[in-house]
Amino acid sequence: MSTDAYFTELTGTLRTSGVPEEQITRTVDELRAHLAESGTTPEEEFGPAAAFAGSLGGLAPAPGEPEAEAEQWTWTADLFNDRRMLAVHGDQGWEVESLDSLGRFVCRRTPGVALAWEYRREVIAGRRRAAVFGALEPEGWELCGEWLVYGYFKRPKAATAGPEGALRAVPRTPVGHLFLSRRAKALLAVWAVASAAAYVSMGTPGLAVLVGFGGAMLAVLTASLETRKGKETQARTPPSTPHP
C-alpha cells in the first residue's frame, strides 16, 4: 500500500470514529513528518491503518465510575515538561486513568487510600511497540494513555518502595491545569508572532498550515531525541558476560 493510500484509509477510519476534522488533519501531518524523518513505510512504522487508527483513538471513552469520594482532575503539559510533572503529581497520589482526545491527562485520587505513582513515557510506534511492552510489563508497568507516537506507562510506587508508596496525607487538588516548560513558553511567544504574521499574510489557511507543521516538528524532535538518548545509553552499557 502506498503512503497516500495508507493515510487515506487512516483518515477515513478516524473520521468514521467521530474524530474532529482539525484533529485528523493535525495527526496525519504529524505522522507524515515522522515518516519523513524515519525513512520507513507507514506499515512498518505504525502497522495496519485500521488497527493504528484504533490505537490513536477518537473521543476517549469515559473511565469507569469512581468511588463517590474520589477526586477528579485533568491537566496537560508540553512534551518538554510532561514527565517532570507526571513525577510531581504521581508523588501527590494522582493516578492517570487515560489521555483524552486533546492529549490531557485524566486523573483520579481517593483521599485516605491514595498511593504514590511513578510514570514513564516511551516511543511505541510500529515495530517498537511489542519490544517496549515486552520489556515493561514484567516490571509492573501498565499503559495508561497514548498520544501520537508516545505511550505513557504507570505503576504504583509500592511496587518498588514498599509501604513508603502509600500516602498518609495528600495536598489539595492543584488549581492549575496547564504546565509549560520555559522552552515551551519561549516557543509559544515565537509561535504567537509567527501565527499573527501567517494569518495577516495568508488568512486562516496559512494559520492552519503553520499549526500543523509546528506540531509535527515538535513530535518528530522529541521522538528523535528519545531515540538518540536510548542508543547512547545502550552504547555505554557494557555487554554482559555469559555464565559458564
Side-chain angles (χ1 to χ4, degrees), residues 1-11 42-43 46-50 52:
M1 182 185 295
S2 69
T3 298
D4 288 340
Y6 182 93
F7 283 110
T8 297
E9 181 180 348
L10 181 67
T11 297
E43 288 89 350
F46 309 125
F52 184 49

Side-chain angles (χ1 to χ4, degrees), residues 44-228:
E44 290 175 328
E45 193 70 16
F46 309 125
F52 184 49
S55 71
L56 287 174
L59 300 176
E65 289 297 321
E67 297 87 343
E69 68 273 17
E71 301 174 88
Q72 301 292 306
W73 181 47
T74 300
W75 61 277
T76 191
D78 60 90
L79 289 171
F80 296 117
N81 204 31
D82 55 354
R83 286 180 289 192
R84 186 178 72 86
M85 297 314 302
L86 281 167
V88 170
H89 300 320
D91 284 341
Q92 296 176 358
W94 290 104
E95 177 187 1
V96 174
E97 292 195 311
S98 65
L99 268 71
D100 67 12
S101 59
L102 299 178
R104 299 176 301 180
F105 297 101
V106 180
C107 303
R108 60 173 296 198
R109 182 177 68 180
T110 305
V113 295
L115 295 174
W117 291 85
E118 55 184 339
Y119 297 95
R120 61 188 297 163
R121 186 185 79 195
E122 300 287 343
V123 176
I124 59 171
R127 293 170 294 178
R128 288 180 55 90
R129 188 181 186 92
V132 170
F133 276 72
L136 296 185
E137 286 181 342
E139 297 180 358
W141 292 100
E142 173 189 355
L143 182 71
C144 58
E146 297 184 42
W147 181 248
L148 299 177
V149 297
Y150 300 108
Y152 291 88
F153 295 82
K154 67 181 178 183
R155 71 178 177 185
K157 277 197 169 180
T160 54
E164 295 180 4
L167 301 177
R168 294 179 176 82
V170 294
R172 297 177 60 183
T173 301
V175 176
H177 297 271
L178 176 62
F179 301 91
L180 297 178
S181 65
R182 281 183 290 183
R183 277 185 290 182
K185 290 177 181 177
L187 288 172
L188 190 60
V190 174
W191 190 257
V193 174
S195 298
Y199 183 76
V200 169
S201 61
M202 294 181 287
T204 302
L207 181 60
V209 170
L210 184 64
V211 170
F213 179 77
M217 291 302 99
L218 180 59
V220 170
L221 172 63
T222 54
S224 174
L225 290 175
E226 290 190 8
T227 302
R228 188 183 312 155

